[in-house]
Each structure stands twice: as structure tokens, then as C-alpha cells.
Amino acid sequence: MSTRVGAVILAVSLAGCAEVAKQPSAVDSPRTAPATANQPGAAADPIRLNEQVARIASELTELQNAVAKLIAMSRQQDDQLTYLRRRVEELESPNRGRLPAAPSGFAPSAPAPPGPPGSPPLLGSATTTPAADLYRSGVEQLKAKATDAAILTFYDLIATYPESPLRESAQYLVADVYYKQKDWRGALAEFESLVAAVPRGEKVPDALLKIGLCQKDLGDATRARRTWERVVREHPSSAAARQARALLRN
């Protein structure tokens, strides 16, 4: 009987030893762990990954800025079209019931009377509103908090009198409305359009300063600093340059 009990104990002991032998050695396992960390190129992989992420982020920002410009241009064209339709309805309403409507495309345009030398050309008819009246009307609408109407009025001035001295101020006011509404992309597109159209205008330093602020608000601090450096470099004595220097110190 004792022999059988001893045999059973021996068998159990042998089985336990076999299970222990199958398990990996706790002493040997840590030695293999750091092997991958010491492989060539392991430390360089995160650096390359960070460079790729930075490049992709920069490309994405450029695409977003391009999309913002397209959106602003599309919105400007839509607003101008809406305004022109309203103006057509206003011009047609007094003449309804007097004369039969001419077929589309065959109505002759009324000749515009010649203006004084050096004045902007009148487009379409003699009832075209002068640039000064459009600008004054837009400013009054802004004061009355009618921002949508003011934007349409300023767009009418920009489209009708692109060479007028008031065109620069009108577009700056449109961009500033978008900026105050925190529409950074719309404001950025308008400010950049102003700088492109009137590169030596009086509003250019202020427009560049606001372009940098829009870029910062859109998360592109590097481009914003480059824009402010441009203000300091190209317009060193302007008030915008003083503000740009303060922003660069932050």
C-alpha cells in the first residue's frame, strides 16, 4: 500500500516538474525585450513620422486656405447676383404696364450720358449709383447694424467701380465685418483679395495685420508670424507695424 502511495506522489512530482520546464524562464525573458529597442533605425522612425505628420498638416492648411478663398469668391458672386436681380426688379417695376416686354436678349440698352473727364464709367444705364453714394449708403447701413445690406452695397461698389479710390475701403469694411463675426476664412479671403487688387493701397498694412490674425485664429501660427514680419519689413513706420512687432514679441 505504501509503495503505491509513494508511486503516486512520485508521478505527481514529475508532472509538476514537466509543467515548470514548459514555462519560459523569468530570468531569460527580460534579456530579449530590449533587443528591438536597440535595432538600427528604431529611434529614427518616430522622427520620420513626426516630419511626415508636420508636412501633411502644412499641406492640409494650404488646402483649407484655398477652399476658404473659393468659398468667399462664391459667396461674393452669389451676393452680387442677388443684388443685381433686386436692382433689375426695381428698375423694371416702374415700367410695368407701360410698354410690352421685349424678348430676352433683344432689349437694347439705354445709352449712358457721358460723364465728366476722369469719372468712372457708368455701366448698363444712366441710373447707376455713383461710387460715393454707394459707399456712404454702405457705411450708414453698417451704423444701423444692417450688415448684410451693407455687404451687398459694398460688393456693388467693388464690382461696378473696381478702379475707384473707395473700392479699397469698401472691401476692407467687408472683410472687417467677416472678422468681427469670427468668420476667419471669409475675412482672410477678403483681406487677401484687397492686398492683391490694391498692393500699394493705404489699407494694405492693416489688411496684412488682420491676415496674420486670421491665420493665427485658424491655427497656423507660423504663417501668421511670417505675415507680421512682412508688415514690419514692408511698412516699418505704419501703426500696423507697431502692432505686428508687439505680436511677434509674444
Side-chain angles (χ1 to χ4, degrees), residues 34-221:
T36 56
N38 295 329
Q39 291 179 357
D45 288 340
I47 297 177
R48 287 198 297 268
L49 181 60
N50 291 337
E51 291 176 351
Q52 293 175 357
V53 171
R55 185 174 64 255
I56 292 173
S58 177
E59 293 175 354
L60 179 60
T61 300
E62 292 179 0
L63 289 174
Q64 289 174 339
N65 291 335
V67 171
K69 291 181 182 180
L70 292 175
I71 292 174
M73 291 175 60
S74 176
R75 178 167 50 195
Q76 178 178 352
Q77 292 175 354
D78 290 341
D79 291 342
Q80 289 178 356
L81 181 60
T82 300
Y83 178 82
L84 291 174
R85 286 175 176 171
R86 188 181 67 189
R87 290 288 299 273
V88 169
E89 292 176 357
E90 291 174 354
L91 292 174
E92 289 180 346
S93 57
N95 296 324
R96 287 175 183 170
R98 296 181 183 179
L99 296 174
S104 176
F106 289 91
S109 57
S119 63
L122 297 178
L123 303 178
S125 70
T127 59
T128 302
T129 306
D133 291 346
L134 286 173
Y135 185 80
R136 182 167 51 252
S137 177
V139 171
E140 291 174 354
Q141 289 165 339
L142 279 183
K143 292 179 180 178
K145 308 299 182 182
T147 55
D148 291 340
I151 288 174
L152 289 176
T153 301
F154 288 136
Y155 276 154
D156 185 22
L157 191 158
I158 294 168
T160 309
Y161 303 99
E163 304 299 328
S164 170
L166 295 172
R167 177 234 197 274
E168 180 185 5
S169 296
Q171 188 156 19
Y172 185 89
L173 289 173
V174 171
D176 196 51
V177 167
Y178 290 144
Y179 182 81
K180 291 177 180 177
Q181 293 175 346
K182 297 184 178 181
D183 183 359
W184 314 126
R185 299 192 184 282
L188 177 63
E190 292 295 336
F191 283 126
E192 287 181 339
S193 178
L194 185 155
V195 174
V198 194
R200 299 189 179 183
E202 295 180 357
K203 295 290 186 180
V204 168
D206 294 327
L208 287 171
L209 181 72
K210 289 290 184 67
I211 287 173
L213 292 173
C214 291
Q215 291 167 339
K216 180 182 178 182
D217 290 325
L218 289 170
D220 195 346

